[in-house]
Amino acid sequence: MSRLAARVLMAAAWRGVTPCVMGFFLLLYVGIAFGSNEPLTSLMAITRGNFPLVALLALVPLNGAARLALEGARFFRRRGALAGNRIDEAGGLFDDEVTLPAVSPFEAETERLKSSGYTTCSGENWLSARRGVSIFPARALYLLAMVLLFCGILASLTGRVTHRQALVEGEPLPKSRDLVQRVVFKEDPGLFLQRSLDIEVAGEAGGVRHFGLYPPGTHLGYYLYPRYLGVAPLLRFSAPDLPGGFEQYAVLSIYPPGKEDSLKVPNSPYRFIFQMAAGDGPDPYATGQLTLQFRLLKGDTQVFAGSAPTGGEAAGSGYRVALPEFRRVVITDFVRDGGVPLIWSAGILFLLSLCWFVPVRLALPCQEMLFARQDGAVLACSRAEGGRRAHAGRFHELLDQVQPGEEGRA
């Protein structure tokens, strides 16, 4: 590697890059939070349309890739040195390096190292010893996961496409003939959630698919993210000045109880404001025992108000409102997002990294030593990934044995 390329790699792998970038976005998030009710959504929208911010965020996966390349190169060079290859390049690869006089008889310490649990390897003018298992695979998986995670975030920010649609029982999914057969919402305490949602879809070619809250299912290349629940009552309405009446399934986002939604009656001055009545018993959306409260406005003036259960009606002052049946509705985001597979892959790698790191670090920490004659002296090197204090004690005890009182720090 040329000197210029090495300097560029070192600069790109600087450990401060990721904390600085993340700190900047945290400050930006805090600033946005003072003026927005949805600071995260606003931050994503600002970043998506701002090339300098996207370029700044891209420094994080670049930094992770550079650190992976640099640490991988150091790991394999160190392993090569411990195997006796290119020992002259061992300088700078270990945590501790000590220069001893050339007459230091380190070769005689092989048995002492073996008795301490080290596996030794030796050749002409060199001796290496190591014990335990390296955590580098966990480190490599972690850095690769960081790269994939932020590449996924970048892909989501710059290429995400979202369409919000209402999935209604008895009606097909958008752009297909797959039919939403039923929506089941029920109490189902789990590890993270207290309720479960199941959207049962009959495929055009046969078979049944089920979509839940998470992980998202896919449809025609889109991920399905349920956002809100609602109902679609069959609304039959008549008024003195509306002799033909009105009948239509009204898609209303009125769950949970207390939330309001409105419906404009086409070609008329009338507008409904609906609300689901709260109850003391089981969840009305889950049981299907709904009572809808409504207000009827003509222009800006309220002319009628009342409530009716599904299957019932209300009438007065010449107005009649009937709700003979209803269908459950799930307001869903259809999202085309190339970053999702990268983010899921990153999550898997984070888990694998943790599964390697914890048992190795606790039970089999890696410790390495190298002694080599070069340039009229002996270079003694030591490195430990765990149990550093005990390893340092053994290393310095060994130095005292081979050259008592005369070692000097390089």
Side-chain angles (χ1 to χ4, degrees), residues 230-261:
V231 294
L234 178 60
L235 174 62
R236 291 175 180 167
F237 168 62
S238 61
D241 54 352
L242 196 66
F246 169 78
E247 181 174 332
Q248 178 181 303
Y249 280 99
V251 176
L252 304 172
S253 180
I254 56 174
Y255 184 86
K259 185 179 179 181
E260 291 186 343
D261 199 2

Side-chain angles (χ1 to χ4, degrees), residues 167-171 173 178-184 197-203 207-212 330:
L167 303 187
V168 184
E169 287 179 320
E171 296 186 8
L173 290 174
D178 294 349
L179 187 67
V180 179
Q181 289 188 320
R182 62 174 183 161
V183 175
V184 178
L197 175 69
D198 178 45
I199 305 171
E200 184 178 300
V201 178
V208 176
R209 299 180 65 192
H210 293 269
F211 299 93
V330 182

Side-chain angles (χ1 to χ4, degrees), residues 107-396:
E107 294 88 349
E109 299 301 321
T110 300
E111 293 303 321
R112 180 188 295 272
L113 288 168
K114 289 182 178 180
S115 65
S116 297
Y118 289 85
T119 299
T120 62
C121 185
S122 62
E124 185 178 0
N125 296 323
W126 66 274
L127 169 67
S128 68
R130 67 187 306 270
R131 60 184 290 181
V133 179
S134 175
I135 61 170
F136 174 74
R139 181 69 178 165
L141 289 173
Y142 170 79
L143 291 173
L144 182 58
M146 288 289 291
V147 172
L148 292 179
L149 174 62
F150 282 92
C151 283
I153 292 174
L154 281 171
S156 295
L157 283 174
T158 56
R160 183 185 178 99
V161 178
T162 302
H163 302 289
R164 182 158 292 183
Q165 303 282 347
L167 303 187
V168 184
E169 287 179 320
E171 296 186 8
L173 290 174
K175 300 181 180 180
S176 76
R177 296 183 180 178
D178 294 349
L179 187 67
V180 179
Q181 289 188 320
R182 62 174 183 161
V183 175
V184 178
F185 183 67
K186 61 182 179 180
E187 300 285 342
D188 187 15
L191 183 60
F192 299 107
L193 302 175
Q194 298 298 312
R195 298 175 181 176
S196 66
L197 175 69
D198 178 45
I199 305 171
E200 184 178 300
V201 178
E204 179 183 4
V208 176
R209 299 180 65 192
H210 293 269
F211 299 93
L213 290 173
Y214 214 79
T218 58
H219 174 67
L220 300 179
Y222 287 88
Y223 294 97
L224 275 64
Y225 292 95
R227 295 303 186 191
Y228 310 104
L229 299 179
V231 294
L234 178 60
L235 174 62
R236 291 175 180 167
F237 168 62
S238 61
D241 54 352
L242 196 66
F246 169 78
E247 181 174 332
Q248 178 181 303
Y249 280 99
V251 176
L252 304 172
S253 180
I254 56 174
Y255 184 86
K259 185 179 179 181
E260 291 186 343
D261 199 2
S262 62
L263 172 70
K264 179 73 170 63
V265 179
N267 304 317
S268 79
Y270 294 104
R271 179 168 64 93
F272 281 94
I273 298 178
F274 283 96
Q275 186 180 57
M276 185 184 300
D280 297 330
D283 191 300
Y285 189 93
T287 62
Q289 304 299 316
L290 304 179
T291 297
L292 301 186
Q293 300 170 337
F294 63 87
R295 290 181 289 138
L296 177 63
L297 280 66
K298 186 176 183 179
D300 295 329
T301 304
Q302 179 173 309
V303 295
F304 184 50
S307 64
T310 53
E313 64 177 56
S317 304
Y319 300 99
R320 179 176 176 273
V321 177
L323 306 172
E325 61 180 74
F326 86 101
R327 297 174 178 177
R328 291 179 178 84
V329 176
V330 182
I331 310 300
T332 305
D333 284 348
F334 286 73
V335 180
R336 190 184 296 276
D337 190 345
V340 171
L342 296 176
I343 294 173
W344 272 93
S345 299
I348 294 172
L349 291 181
F350 278 128
L351 180 61
L352 292 176
S353 174
L354 185 65
C355 290
W356 181 283
F357 176 84
V358 173
V360 167
R361 188 61 181 267
L362 294 178
L364 297 168
C366 183
Q367 301 169 356
E368 302 164 332
M369 284 186 275
L370 174 67
F371 295 84
R373 299 185 191 279
Q374 53 181 246
D375 300 327
V378 172
L379 179 65
C381 305
S382 167
R383 180 177 181 274
E385 293 176 342
R388 287 183 172 87
R389 181 174 299 179
H391 174 70
R394 287 189 291 266
F395 178 61
H396 288 288

Side-chain angles (χ1 to χ4, degrees), residues 1-11:
M1 182 184 297
S2 68
R3 184 171 299 178
L4 177 61
R7 289 180 177 177
V8 171
L9 180 61
M10 290 292 293

Side-chain angles (χ1 to χ4, degrees), residues 89-101:
E89 297 181 3
L93 299 179
F94 294 81
D95 297 333
D96 297 311
E97 296 180 8
V98 178
T99 300
L100 304 176

